[in-house]
Amino acid sequence: MPSAAVVAPIVLPLIAAAVIAGFGASGVNLGRMAAGIGAWSSALALVAVWLPVRSSLELILGQLGYGSTFDLRLDAVSVAFGLIIVVPAAVLLTLQPRTWQESALAMLGVAAAMAAVEAGGVVLTALAGSTAATLALVSLETEDPRSPRPGWALLLAGWLALALVGVTLQIGGGTAVYSAVPVATVTTAVFIVLATSAILVSCLLPWRAWPSSLWSRPSLRAAGITVTTLYPLGFYILVRAYELGAGRYPNLAFNVVLAMAGVAVALAAGARAQAAATRREFLGEVIPGFGGFALSAIAIGTPLSLVAGLVMLSTASALIACLALLPDRTGLASLVAVAAAIGLPPGIAFGSRVIGIESAFEGGDFVGLVGLAGAAVWALWVVAGARAIGLPGGRGHPAIETFRRVAMVLAAATIVAGPALALFQLGFANPAAAEVMQASASSLAGGAASVVTTSTVLPAVSLFVPLLLIAILVYAGTSMSAIRTQARPAILQLPAGNIVQRVRAAVAAAAVPEQYRSILNLRELELAAAGARPVLWLTALIALAFAVTR
């Protein structure tokens, strides 16, 4: 396989965007067909380039400057995260109608996200990721400027921090390429900035941020594409951090802190989910909940836990497409989506969480407490899902962009795929884990029917197939009329949420002299920055260059 084939998953969406924009400017909207072809061709190119060789392919296209190379690399990690990003995006672009401007922006965002996961070094990942974030923000503004969206500063803060990490590695070790960075340069301070950048990129925070607030928009076209292209990138940084550190983080304390942070994110999302007033509010917390569990698993630092985290992210990517296509009304499709979201057996979410918790127990010492906390948070999610079944649907988004049957198939697929957990682990997650933890690759074991761990064997086929049959029989014998939609009290009250609302109200009511208000208004600052004259930016750039080179 020629190394030039590495660019195909990036170039094909760019070509599709150019074709869509060219015809759209002349008054012809190619619609869903061109966008769907561009996204699916990227996914097929990714698989077609990887399968024949199943080893790293690298292509250097030149210099970025100051010693950084324009290096693209396709390996097992790139393939895993590339599929996590592009497959749900392809589903949404194929089904949902968009204007040609929205389709072109979406294709550019997909291409930028694919470039971020195929980048061979930290600096190029930061450049491509910030481009994807900017395109996502423009797409959300184009669709509906009055609906909730992340702030420009919040989206770019993580990527600026990652760029700082890349520059530091370039200066300290002579390179920022993932596979060539000297381990000694990944110091405690560098890793703290790296972990902070990953948390900010995916907004893995224990309060309601854009991964959940975007689902409250009247239309979910741009929201679905934004979440599927941006949310996995923070996890990608944390996985690559293992490669930078030769299979581990600089200190075990980082594993524990990040794992507990993941549990806190899942707990906060579960607390908000169980207090939701509508089913749409509940489903809006599903992706942050999955992200919290995935962060906890990835941070534990064993090959098994990393495999569990990758499986969780793959399941979450399917649910992103499901939630964007799901109508806001009760029914079988919504019921199956809730069951898939909370990880009921024998779904693949259930199996991955079992593996993640078991890997924490096998980690021993304080890491075992992460497993106990994760099990407790999972129980909260199950209770929240049981409550959500009786909630009203909530504010409906346009019927033309919803596809009830497709959403139900996607949710049901994550449940039916439970018995294939071992096969999924063997063919998809294990190669990625072995890529960044090569010293521990031999500990990854198991065949297509079972998941082998240090302490036990999880017989995925022989255990999950009977559970699946039992679940089908139980559903067949249960009448949907027994489920009544009614308001249900929250299990846990959230006083912290009221405190946040009061603080925001107090800040909003504070009187600021009119001539200084624009300084404290981020949205006005964004507008001022976008409308500034080139002379201002040239002066600022010269001042920045002078400050950096002093």
Side-chain angles (χ1 to χ4, degrees):
M1 181 65 64
S3 58
V6 172
V7 303
I10 304 171
V11 171
L12 290 175
L14 290 176
I15 294 174
V19 172
I20 292 171
F23 278 90
S26 61
V28 179
N29 185 4
L30 296 181
R32 293 169 286 185
M33 179 181 66
I37 291 175
W40 285 114
S41 64
S42 177
L44 292 176
L46 194 67
V47 175
V49 173
W50 169 252
L51 282 182
V53 292
R54 296 188 182 182
S55 61
S56 298
L57 283 177
E58 193 168 6
L59 176 65
I60 299 178
L61 297 175
Q63 296 291 323
L64 290 173
Y66 297 100
S68 296
T69 58
F70 194 164
D71 185 4
L72 296 178
R73 187 178 65 160
L74 188 65
D75 57 11
V77 178
S78 302
V79 172
F81 277 92
L83 292 176
I84 288 172
I85 290 170
V86 75
V87 171
V91 172
L92 297 179
L93 291 169
T94 303
L95 297 177
Q96 292 178 324
R98 287 175 168 80
T99 64
W100 70 264
Q101 295 94 334
E102 293 174 343
S103 297
L105 285 171
M107 295 309 303
L108 291 174
V110 170
M114 295 298 291
V117 299
E118 283 198 36
V122 179
V123 176
L124 186 56
T125 296
L127 292 174
S130 60
T131 302
T134 303
L135 289 168
L137 184 60
V138 174
S139 180
L140 292 169
E141 285 284 339
T142 302
E143 181 187 79
D144 188 352
R146 297 181 300 275
S147 296
R149 64 165 181 83
W152 175 71
L154 178 62
L155 280 181
L156 293 185
W159 295 113
L160 291 175
L162 185 63
L164 175 61
V165 171
V167 172
T168 304
L169 294 176
Q170 189 74 39
I171 295 174
T175 180
V177 175
Y178 292 112
S179 58
V181 170
V183 177
T185 60
V186 188
T187 61
T188 297
V190 170
F191 184 83
I192 290 175
V193 178
L194 179 69
T196 302
S197 70
I199 290 174
L200 292 177
V201 163
S202 294
C203 219
L204 300 171
L205 303 170
W207 53 82
R208 192 169 186 264
W210 65 262
S212 57
S213 63
L214 286 183
W215 300 105
S216 63
R217 292 170 64 92
S219 175
L220 298 182
R221 300 190 309 273
I225 294 296
T226 298
V227 176
T228 191
T229 53
L230 297 186
Y231 195 66
L233 296 180
F235 301 95
Y236 173 78
I237 295 171
L238 290 174
V239 172
R240 284 295 187 192
Y242 284 113
E243 186 175 13
L244 292 174
R248 61 183 181 86
Y249 291 163
N251 193 299
L252 181 61
F254 292 128
N255 297 88
V256 175
V257 170
L258 286 174
M260 291 303 297
V263 173
V265 172
L267 173 61
R272 295 192 300 268
Q274 61 82 35
T278 63
R279 198 175 299 189
R280 182 169 184 177
E281 290 183 16
F282 167 83
L283 294 174
E285 303 298 337
V286 168
I287 302 305
F290 265 90
F293 284 115
L295 172 61
S296 179
I298 290 173
I300 289 174
T302 65
L304 182 64
S305 66
L306 183 55
V307 164
L310 291 174
V311 176
M312 291 179 194
L313 289 176
S314 303
T315 309
S317 71
L319 290 178
I320 291 172
C322 170
L323 298 181
L325 300 175
L326 186 68
D328 290 318
R329 62 172 183 265
T330 58
L332 180 58
S334 182
L335 181 64
V336 175
V338 171
I342 62 178
L344 286 183
I348 196 168
F350 171 82
S352 62
R353 290 181 187 177
V354 167
I355 295 174
I357 293 173
E358 187 172 1
S359 66
F361 291 151
E362 292 180 356
D365 298 329
F366 190 78
V367 180
L369 297 179
V370 176
L372 291 175
V377 173
W378 188 5
L380 175 64
W381 269 98
V382 173
V383 175
R387 175 180 177 271
I389 292 176
L391 293 176
R395 177 182 180 179
H397 52 288
I400 193 173
E401 65 182 43
T402 62
F403 295 84
R404 178 178 58 85
R405 290 186 177 86
V406 177
M408 185 173 66
V409 168
L410 291 172
T414 65
I415 298 176
V416 176
L421 173 64
L423 183 62
F424 192 80
Q425 172 203 1
L426 181 66
F428 178 82
N430 277 8
E435 183 72 32
V436 298
M437 294 182 175
Q438 296 180 3
S440 304
S442 59
S443 63
L444 294 171
S450 300
V451 178
V452 178
T453 70
T454 302
S455 59
T456 186
V457 176
L458 178 63
V461 174
S462 59
L463 176 62
F464 287 175
V465 168
L467 287 176
L468 180 61
L469 296 177
I470 292 173
I472 294 174
L473 291 176
V474 169
Y475 170 75
T478 303
S479 174
M480 288 288 291
S481 61
I483 301 175
R484 300 184 181 277
T485 301
Q486 58 182 346
R488 298 173 182 267
I491 303 167
L492 301 174
Q493 298 299 325
L494 300 177
N498 297 329
I499 293 174
V500 172
Q501 294 297 331
R502 289 197 297 269
V503 171
R504 287 181 176 178
V507 172
V512 178
E514 184 176 357
Q515 61 268 33
Y516 300 113
R517 289 178 185 174
S518 61
I519 300 176
L520 303 177
N521 191 320
L522 293 180
R523 186 175 288 255
E524 290 187 12
L525 283 176
E526 294 175 17
L527 295 175
R533 294 183 177 180
V535 176
L536 172 63
W537 291 112
L538 181 60
T539 305
L541 183 60
I542 294 174
L544 179 61
F546 178 78
V548 171
T549 55
R550 292 298 294 171

